[in-house]
Amino acid sequence: MFKWLKLFLFNAGFKYIALVRIVGFLKVNRITRYVLYPPAKLILLHYRHLYGMAIAEYADIGPGLFVTRFGGIYINGDCLLGANVNLSPLILFGQTNRGEVIGSPVIGNRVFIASGARVTGAITIGDDVAIGANAVVVKDAPPRAVLAGVPAKIISDRGSEGYINRQVPPEVIAACARARRDSGGPDAIWYPPDMLEQEAL
């Protein structure tokens, strides 16, 4: 508990992500939606402007999201983020409104996004992908790809190994997925339904 409080007080990225999750819970809960959610949303908006981060409280984000440094981080509310995703400053996960990839991206597990990267459109970034600094990603990326350039191209298959910090253990991810299913929520992209079924056997 002390470690959590220390991070909340002195780590801007951790504080913002914690507030996003708390406000998201207050919004979907029928009891808190009309009483606690509005003032909590105002607090979140205050920190959004203070830290220069905009992550919607209704975005579907897996456990273990880690922000290395705050500032200039914008994630569209329709994006799906897997578990143990690492974000650097000045990144954008955006929506495309025309063309062949209308929509928002799906980001896999253990993906590292370096400073200045842009990921736009209804594309899928596979697990263990590393996206280089200032890359502009507009096409799907297979697992373990390393992307760089404008537009981004695959330059390696070494993936994100060594770049992902402070990962949430697999048992915690599984517990989050079970809690989500038990509460009637949709299946999580960061924990396939068949894995939950295997655990039940």
Side-chain angles (χ1 to χ4, degrees):
M1 181 62 183
F2 175 75
K3 184 178 181 181
W4 188 94
L5 183 61
K6 180 181 177 181
L7 286 170
F8 187 83
L9 292 175
F10 301 109
N11 186 304
F14 182 88
K15 177 187 287 186
Y16 188 82
I17 298 304
L19 287 171
V20 166
R21 295 190 187 278
I22 292 169
V23 173
F25 170 79
L26 295 176
K27 182 177 182 178
V28 299
N29 188 288
R30 288 179 294 179
I31 298 173
T32 60
R33 183 183 305 160
Y34 301 106
V35 180
L36 298 178
Y37 170 70
K41 175 69 174 183
L42 290 175
I43 294 172
L44 181 62
L45 289 174
H46 166 73
Y47 282 103
R48 175 179 294 180
H49 294 292
L50 182 65
Y51 295 149
M53 298 170 61
I55 303 174
E57 70 274 11
Y58 51 85
D60 193 343
I61 301 172
L65 179 64
F66 179 70
V67 177
T68 56
R69 294 287 186 274
F70 69 90
I73 295 174
Y74 299 93
I75 298 179
N76 183 277
D78 293 328
C79 290
L80 301 178
L81 272 69
N84 292 318
V85 173
N86 278 207
L87 305 179
S88 303
L90 304 174
I91 61 101
L92 167 72
F93 294 161
Q95 175 177 305
T96 298
N97 295 321
R98 63 184 182 185
E100 299 178 356
V101 289
I102 295 175
S104 300
V106 175
I107 310 297
N109 299 319
R110 298 172 303 280
V111 173
F112 174 81
I113 300 95
S115 297
R118 306 286 186 264
V119 183
T120 62
I123 61 176
T124 300
I125 305 300
D127 293 346
D128 304 294
V129 167
I131 300 175
N134 298 315
V136 178
V137 185
V138 293
K139 294 182 179 180
D140 293 346
R144 297 194 56 80
V146 177
L147 305 174
V150 182
K153 297 180 180 179
I154 299 174
I155 61 170
S156 168
D157 61 357
R158 298 181 64 183
S160 62
E161 185 177 357
Y163 286 99
I164 302 299
N165 294 293
R166 302 181 184 177
Q167 295 189 51
V168 172
E171 56 271 20
V172 174
I173 295 175
C176 291
R178 285 193 297 270
R180 180 176 175 136
R181 170 170 283 189
D182 293 345
S183 66
D187 290 330
I189 65 160
W190 34 267
Y191 201 79
D194 58 330
M195 295 186 72
L196 285 174
E197 292 169 3
Q198 290 175 11
E199 289 180 357
L201 297 177

